[in-house]
């Protein structure tokens, strides 16, 4: 079996591998974190602790399905830790004693500057390696806590300063995606003393509505609430925010712990290529258990092998510069679809989608049930390729738009 | 062992399972599946409805096309119809259209939908002789057009081969009963124990009705000359009828030889196994590569441990001992059995019905006999001998009669 060094230094802390449980019920008590460490997770962000003790609803989850795929997205109505603060601190202490070489990050949340400062001090005393400031839980019952904080640059800055007064540990500020511009709050957090950014927390959502009862789901005594959405569906949103931060002039090369819909090594690699030094997971674990880390680690090792890199940090941020503003994209050419008639199973889906959703460029031969592309009409959008169930449609001929070739050669175009 | 006979063999799809199966469907353009249902059902349409979670719409698509949708979902040889040209087979295997249809009709039943609506009365009435699938489908179409319908059935219960032939473990009586009840509630009047040609004459019917449909099917089992009057021999039709009438309480002994290789033969051998027969030997005229029975039925028979000997035909019989000769290679096979079942086909019994039947069918295309008031449907009409084909003929005969009677106005 392949062996590669997955360790990475992140905010001065040595992680045996980048995979961490994100702060949530998946890392809520000693036994859970122990099991996760034993199964190979590099770190745990312990379930957010605070002076506030959560008072949870039941039931508290809902899922979005698509066709026969459950958990396309996951909605939760949880707040922060349900256990008392002293118990959580004792757990952190014990975990650190028993697993000195694994990373333990304390996620904290205060209601005012004094609480933030005290929590930081208490977490450091308990032995945590790092702090994560939860500026982002969308279901807190007070505006002084949760994602309302994460959308106020001023509060983020002040709370970071308070935390730095209480502790010398490296600090991650955990961002909410429920903002238009994450850079603003991230910059304020860094100005306040945060060393890196964790992104993202959950996206505010209404996942499903019960059509008979006419209530959002899950139903809590006849009502429901807007609350946080996570899992695969939020991955594109997370990647977008990370990209925007990592390419912002004031945040360039800022350390990022990537979160949001990670469940495979490919998801993980995407977050890394866009600049994440570590990765955090909740929903994937809630659905499948801690064991998913095995394939994420092994798959990532194979990817490193394929890429010829020996250190994970060599991959961090390699894709960042390849995502550029839309106005800078090359708009001078068209790639026509190439239809492989051997692979084609003659379902006609490309025809339907091109007609109803693109440019009526697929011609359908009724007699032999066979598609072909009319280049006079085709705009090269490749919707057809996306709907083809067998991957019979690939990139074909490249043609420059009238008078737009300049001195470039077709071969210069990178597809 | 009897309960084995009464237990439906195929399990239904779960609500998640049906979505998974519908998601395998490629939702094809001009879907080949929809072009090959004899009853004109649009599987691509109802699968799409399921895919987009419109179960009620799916039920309408099935039911409006097929008054026996729940039956067909269980007994239709889909491999030769809708699933035959299924595009998904190009990736792995065809969509299980039958199982999706079964989910839909089960849903229709569970939610007590009433999809079919009787048309406004036009004051005319139709007599239908027989109550098999063609008769039942025709009745529904006539009712929807506005006719009143009398069905005459010589047996004690309605359904034809659906009741007396197809075994319980493939088609539960309960399912059939519900289909028939639905048709009765729509307005069909079923006269049981009424043999036309004996209890009532064809002329009686013609006098009292605007048209008469003969849907008498092929109700008797064939034999072969060498087996005539042999007390060790029963026909498949006799055996299956007895099995279904007695809910599986039948026995032909512990060692039975079955001759014939179609779907009816498969029903005989699987029924024999279900009722606990130890040794079931099926001797088949065709060789396996040219087998007539559906792959599914054959697979079931083999799974149950039926011995299948292919390529032999009987050459002589002495009491309970039959000698078979291979059709292509030199060689003989001699078997003695407690009973011998002949599954070599069924033929129509048309005494008193003034019908000219050759090779089990009428000699003309279409449905109208020489007598302008009399029409045929089902197995005695030309075409496939399957339930869904019978449904097709039921629809078409109703349409034909309707256009004639409308023209007379
Ligand atoms: C054992 C068996 C298994 C089969 N399995 C399948 C299968 O899995 N799938 C499939 O698609 N097809 C199957 N078939 C074929 C299918 O059952 C027939 O094609 C279909 O039933 C024919 O329908 P029908 O309308 O002609 O009437 P039939 O089902 O043949 O019924 C005719 C009815 O008319 C009645 N009748 C006859 N004469 C008179 C009269 N003089 N007066 C009053 N009533 C009369 C009979 O009692 C009977 O009830 C099977 C057939 C058999 C025998
Ligand atoms: C049930 C549940 C509870 C959560 N509780 C917390 C929490 O206490 N603190 C926190 O910072 N994030 C919390 N989160 C957010 C996750 O840590 C994570 O940021 C988010 O779920 C996105 O990652 P994922 O797609 O891997 O789940 C919670 C998420 C879920 C699903
Ligand atoms: S690339 Fe777009 S326009 Fe061209 S054939 Fe495909 S779907 Fe149609
Ligand atoms: S979608 Fe793909 S498989 Fe279907 S007709 Fe088009 S090219 Fe062929
Ligand atoms: S042919 Fe097969 S894949 Fe295509 S629509 Fe019909 S069932 Fe679906």
């Amino acid at each position: 079996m392949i062996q590669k060094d997955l360790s990475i230094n992140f905010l001065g802390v040595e992680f045996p591998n980048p995979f961490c449980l994100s702060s949530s019920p998946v890392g809520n008590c000693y036994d859970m974190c122990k099991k996760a460490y034993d199964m190979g997770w590099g770190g745990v962000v312990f379930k957010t602790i605070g002076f506030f003790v959560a008072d949870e609803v039941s039931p508290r989850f809902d899922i979005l399905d698509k066709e026969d795929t459950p958990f396309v997205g996951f909605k939760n109505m949880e707040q922060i830790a349900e256990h008392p603060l002293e118990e959580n601190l004792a757990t952190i202490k014990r975990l650190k004693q028993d697993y000195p070489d694994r990373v333990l990050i304390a996620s904290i949340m205060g209601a005012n500057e004094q609480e933030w400062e005290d929590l930081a001090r208490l977490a450091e005393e308990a032995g945590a390696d790092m702090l994560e400031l939860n500026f982002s839980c969308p279901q807190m019952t007070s505006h002084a806590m949760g994602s309302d904080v994460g959308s106020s640059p001023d509060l983020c800055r002040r709370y970071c300063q308070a935390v730095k007064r209480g502790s010398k540990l490296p600090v991650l500020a955990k961002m909410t995606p429920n903002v238009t511009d994450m850079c603003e709050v991230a910059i304020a957090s860094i100005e306040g003393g945060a060393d890196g950014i964790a992104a993202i927390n959950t996206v505010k959502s209404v996942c499903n509505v019960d059509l008979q009862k006419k209530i959002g789901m899950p139903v809590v005594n006849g009502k429901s609430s807007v609350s946080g959405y996570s899992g695969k569906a939020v991955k594109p949103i997370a990647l977008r925010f990370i990209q925007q931060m990592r390419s912002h002039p004031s945040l360039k090369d800022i350390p990022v712990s990537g979160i949001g819909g990670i469940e495979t090594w490919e998801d993980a690699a995407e977050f890394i290529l866009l600049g994440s030094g570590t990765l955090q997971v909740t929903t994937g674990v809630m659905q499948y258990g801690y064991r998913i880390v095995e394939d994420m680690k092994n798959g990532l090792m194979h990817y490193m092998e394929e890429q010829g890199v020996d250190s994970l940090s060599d991959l961090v941020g390699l894709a960042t510069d390849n995502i550029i503003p839309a106005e800078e994209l090359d708009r001078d050419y068209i790639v026509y679809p190439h239809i492989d008639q051997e692979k084609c199973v003659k379902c006609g889906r490309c025809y339907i989608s091109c007609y109803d959703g693109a440019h009526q460029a697929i011609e359908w031969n009724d007699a032999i049930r066979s598609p072909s592309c009319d280049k006079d009409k085709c705009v090269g959008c490749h919707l057809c390729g996306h709907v083809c169930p067998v991957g019979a449609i690939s990139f074909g001929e490249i043609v420059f738009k009238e008078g737009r070739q300049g001195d470039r050669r077709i071969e210069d175009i990178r597809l | 062992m009897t309960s084995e006979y009464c237990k439906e063999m195929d399990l239904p799809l779960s609500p998640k399972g049906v979505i998974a199966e519908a998601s395998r469907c490629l939702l094809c353009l001009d879907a080949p599946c929809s072009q090959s249902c004899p009853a004109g059902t649009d599987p691509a349409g109802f699968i799409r409805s399921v895919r987009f979670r419109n179960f009620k719409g799916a039920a309408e698509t099935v039911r409006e096309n097929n008054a026996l949708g729940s039956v067909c979902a269980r007994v239709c040889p889909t491999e030769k119809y809708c699933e035959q040209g299924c595009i998904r087979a190009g990736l792995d295997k065809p969509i299980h259209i039958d199982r999706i249809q079964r989910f839909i009709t089960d849903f229709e039943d569970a939610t007590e939908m009433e999809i079919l609506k009787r048309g406004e009365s036009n004051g005319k009435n139709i007599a239908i002789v027989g109550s098999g699938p063609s008769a039942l489908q025709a009745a529904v179409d006539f009712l929807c057009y506005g006719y009143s319908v009398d069905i005459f059935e010589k047996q004690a219960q309605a359904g034809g081969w659906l009741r007396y032939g197809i075994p319980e473990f493939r088609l539960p009586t309960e399912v059939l009963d519900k289909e028939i009840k639905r048709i009765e509630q729509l307005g069909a009047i079923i006269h049981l124990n009424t043999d036309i040609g004996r209890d009532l004459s064809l002329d009686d019917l013609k006098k009292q009705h605007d048209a008469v449909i003969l849907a008498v099917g092929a109700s008797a089992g064939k034999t072969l000359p060498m087996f005539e009057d042999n007390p060790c021999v029963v026909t498949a039709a006799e055996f299956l009828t007895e099995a279904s009438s007695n809910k599986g309480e039948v026995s032909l002994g512990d060692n039975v030889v079955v001759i014939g290789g179609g779907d009816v033969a498969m029903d005989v051998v699987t029924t024999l196994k279900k009722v606990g027969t130890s040794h079931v030997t099926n001797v088949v005229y065709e060789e396996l590569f040219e087998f007539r029975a559906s792959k599914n039925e054959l697979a079931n028979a083999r799974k149950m441990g039926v011995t299948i000997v292919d390529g032999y035909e009987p050459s002589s019989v002495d009491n309970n001992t039959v000698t078979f000769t291979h059709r292509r290679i030199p060689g003989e096979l001699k078997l003695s059995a407690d009973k011998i079942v002949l599954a070599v086909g069924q033929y129509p019994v048309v005494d008193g019905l003034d019908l000219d039947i050759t090779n089990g069918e009428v000699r003309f295309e279409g449905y109208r006999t020489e007598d302008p008031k009399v029409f045929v449907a089902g197995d005695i009409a030309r075409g496939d001998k399957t339930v869904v084909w019978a449904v097709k003929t039921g629809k078409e005969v109703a349409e034909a009669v309707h256009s004639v009677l409308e023209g007379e106005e």
Side-chain angles (χ1 to χ4, degrees), chain B residues 113-352:
Chain B
M113 289 179 75
E114 284 179 21
I115 296 168
L116 299 172
K117 299 271 180 291
R118 189 172 183 174
E120 203 181 312
S121 170
N122 62 9
K124 295 185 177 153
N125 57 29
I126 308 290
I128 302 177
V129 184
S131 63
S134 64
L136 295 170
Q137 177 66 51
V140 165
D141 282 43
F142 280 123
L143 290 164
C144 293
Y145 286 135
Y147 297 87
S148 60
V149 174
D150 288 291
I151 294 176
F152 300 91
E153 168 58 54
K154 69 177 177 189
Q155 298 279 6
Q157 279 179 289
W161 285 126
L162 304 181
R163 184 174 304 278
Y164 294 108
I166 302 179
E168 183 82 19
F169 53 85
R170 286 212 291 124
L171 176 61
T173 310
E174 193 199 346
V175 172
L176 177 63
D177 284 344
K178 281 184 183 161
E179 301 271 58
I180 293 174
K181 191 166 149 224
R182 191 181 294 115
I183 294 165
E184 287 184 299
Q185 275 167 352
L186 198 65
I189 297 167
I190 305 182
H191 308 267
L192 297 169
N193 299 310
T194 313
D195 188 332
I196 304 303
R198 209 186 64 197
D199 302 325
L200 284 174
S201 72
L202 182 56
D203 280 337
D204 294 337
L205 296 190
K206 277 164 59 182
K207 261 179 241 146
Q208 286 155 26
H209 295 86
D210 294 285
V212 179
I213 316 298
L214 301 177
V216 294
S219 57
K222 285 189 193 160
T223 59
L224 298 170
M226 75 177 86
F227 293 101
E228 251 152 50
D229 300 324
N230 183 332
C232 301
V233 172
V234 291
T235 64
E238 287 162 347
F239 169 66
L240 289 171
T241 301
E242 195 192 344
S244 72
S245 305
N246 297 334
K247 295 268 170 215
E249 294 288 347
V250 282
S251 173
L252 296 183
D254 214 30
N255 162 20
V256 180
V257 165
V258 180
I259 300 174
D263 284 321
V264 173
M266 293 302 115
D267 277 340
V268 172
V269 296
T270 50
T271 299
L272 282 166
K273 275 291 173 191
K274 290 268 179 193
V275 303
T277 315
S278 305
H279 308 285
V280 181
T281 311
N282 182 201
V283 186
V284 186
Y285 180 83
E286 288 84 12
E287 287 185 71
L288 273 180
F289 68 85
E290 54 191 349
F291 230 60
R292 285 180 297 129
S294 81
K295 290 195 184 69
N296 226 345
E297 301 300 309
L298 176 60
N300 274 337
R302 298 192 131 169
K303 233 184 280 166
M304 290 182 201
V306 173
T307 304
I308 296 177
V309 185
D310 61 322
Y312 286 86
E313 57 184 330
S315 45
S316 65
V317 56
D318 176 13
N319 214 4
N320 70 338
T321 303
V322 194
T323 306
F324 298 89
T325 319
H326 197 283
R327 282 169 54 226
R328 296 199 175 96
I329 45 183
E332 268 188 3
L333 174 76
K334 203 174 199 172
L335 293 172
S336 301
D338 296 334
K339 276 278 190 249
I340 299 155
V341 183
L342 289 183
V344 294
Q346 288 70 237
Y347 65 94
V349 183
V350 292
D351 304 341

Side-chain angles (χ1 to χ4, degrees), chain A residues 337 354 358-359 361-362 373 377-384:
Chain A
C354 182
H359 295 81
I362 299 273
C373 173
K377 291 184 179 163
C378 176
V379 299
C381 68
H382 286 268
L383 176 63
C384 50

Side-chain angles (χ1 to χ4, degrees), chain A residues 67 345-347 349 369, chain B residues 23 26 28-30 51 87:
Chain A
E67 287 124 37
V345 295
K346 310 186 180 311
C347 67
R349 287 290 291 276
R369 295 190 65 87
Chain B
S23 305
L26 304 179
C28 301
L29 175 70
D30 289 336
R51 158 70 184 76
I87 297 279

Side-chain angles (χ1 to χ4, degrees), chain A residues 339-340 343-351 364 369-371 384 387-393:
Chain A
I339 305 177
D340 182 340
K343 271 196 193 168
C344 171
V345 295
K346 310 186 180 311
C347 67
R349 287 290 291 276
C350 53
Y351 169 85
W364 182 248
R369 295 190 65 87
S370 162
C384 50
V387 298
C388 176
V390 292
I393 302 182

Side-chain angles (χ1 to χ4, degrees), chain A residues 152-154 156-158 160 183-194:
Chain A
S152 157
D154 181 48
C156 288
R157 187 182 301 105
R158 279 169 34 211
C160 286
C183 295
E184 206 188 347
V185 271
I187 291 168
S189 301
I190 300 295
E191 286 168 359

